[in-house]
Amino acid sequence: MPFKLSVVQEYEETDISYSALSRKYRIQGSDTIRQWVIKYGSTDVIYKTSYPMNKPKDLKIVELEAQIETLKRKNNRLEHELENRDHKAAILDILIDIAEKEYKIKIRKNSSPEQPTDTKK
């Protein structure tokens, strides 16, 4: 349903034809898109002029549910990415600790700035 609504919205907001949209989205038959526009759109199909039209409550509910699902998937993906970054940061800290201890090298910068040394000869 969200896909259909996005195609209808693109038709209504642009000057693109049914056949061009059919090719763009690989939808067989431009008549399919015309039917979607008639069913879900707010455009007069013959004259392509907008007129205010209240969408049925069921259609609004479907649109909102689709938006909620999209946002849930995006939120889950972002939470997963954040968790991965936290794990990577923890692993990097451990590796730095090991390198500093084993090789007796200083990798991390000091929290207090050091005084510059005079290297003039």
Side-chain angles (χ1 to χ4, degrees):
M1 182 60 108
F3 172 72
K4 290 178 183 180
L5 295 174
S6 68
V7 172
V8 169
Q9 182 178 4
E10 185 173 348
Y11 172 78
E12 291 179 339
E13 293 176 356
T14 64
D15 289 331
I16 195 165
S17 67
Y18 294 133
S19 57
L21 280 171
S22 296
R23 285 190 302 274
K24 180 178 178 180
Y25 293 108
R26 296 184 177 150
I27 299 169
Q28 290 191 325
S30 57
D31 193 48
T32 303
I33 297 174
R34 187 180 66 76
Q35 290 172 0
W36 292 350
V37 171
I38 291 169
K39 189 171 184 180
Y40 305 115
S42 60
T43 299
D44 186 325
V45 177
I46 297 171
Y47 300 106
K48 198 172 182 178
T49 56
S50 287
Y51 54 90
M53 179 176 141
N54 293 331
K55 293 184 179 181
K57 286 186 180 185
D58 291 342
L59 182 58
K60 288 181 182 179
I61 290 171
V62 169
E63 289 174 351
L64 292 173
E65 286 174 344
Q67 288 176 347
I68 289 170
E69 285 304 313
T70 301
L71 292 172
K72 282 181 181 178
R73 282 193 302 274
K74 184 176 182 179
N75 188 42
N76 287 338
R77 181 181 52 82
L78 292 172
E79 285 177 350
H80 184 70
E81 287 177 13
L82 181 61
E83 186 177 319
N84 283 341
R85 287 185 185 165
D86 289 344
H87 289 307
K88 288 177 184 178
I91 291 169
L92 185 58
D93 280 341
I94 292 169
L95 290 173
I96 290 172
D97 290 341
I98 292 170
E100 287 182 337
K101 183 178 179 182
E102 294 291 320
Y103 298 106
K104 294 177 178 47
I105 57 173
K106 194 69 175 161
I107 297 173
R108 289 188 178 94
K109 293 183 178 181
N110 290 341
S111 58
S112 62
E114 292 183 18
Q115 294 293 334
T117 56
D118 191 11
T119 58
K120 293 183 184 177
K121 291 185 183 180

